[in-house]
């Protein structure tokens, strides 16, 4: 967690090298803990920080991909 970050964007895909779609946007001002209820389906996630400067949103690098069990 970075104190300069405005929030985090979570992306999800059903395949590790598949197309990732925006899943959730988390604001940094709240304490967030992600829990994933996937049932029998396996999903892969990656996270990207965003910074808001004035009216512009700057995006950070993607995190490594993590899968559910």
């Amino acid at each position: 967690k970075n104190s300069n970050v405005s929030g985090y964007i979570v992306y999800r895909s059903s395949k590790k090298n598949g197309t990732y779609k925006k899943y959730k946007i988390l604001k940094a001002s709240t304490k967030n803990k992600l829990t994933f209820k996937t049932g029998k389906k396996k999903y892969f996630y990656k996270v990207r920080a965003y910074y808001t400067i004035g009216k512009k949103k700057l995006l950070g690098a993607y995190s490594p991909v993590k899968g559910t069990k």
Side-chain angles (χ1 to χ4, degrees):
K1 193 170 184 173
N2 185 328
S3 62
N4 297 324
V5 170
S6 299
Y8 300 90
I9 304 170
V10 181
Y11 298 87
R12 179 171 89 168
S13 175
S14 59
K15 296 180 181 176
K16 187 172 185 175
N17 295 320
T19 302
Y20 283 79
K21 294 187 179 183
K22 198 180 293 183
Y23 176 66
K24 280 191 177 192
I25 298 175
L26 306 170
K27 294 189 186 253
S29 61
T30 60
K31 290 189 177 187
N32 293 297
K33 183 177 181 180
L34 285 175
T35 56
F36 302 106
K37 294 181 181 178
T38 59
K40 294 181 181 181
K41 187 153 175 122
K42 183 168 183 159
Y43 288 105
F44 296 91
Y45 297 89
K46 57 185 176 180
V47 179
R48 180 179 221 182
Y50 70 89
Y51 307 83
T52 305
I53 300 173
K55 293 186 177 184
K56 290 187 177 185
K57 188 184 277 189
L58 302 174
L59 300 174
Y62 287 104
S63 70
V65 172
K66 296 287 183 179
T68 58
K69 294 183 179 187

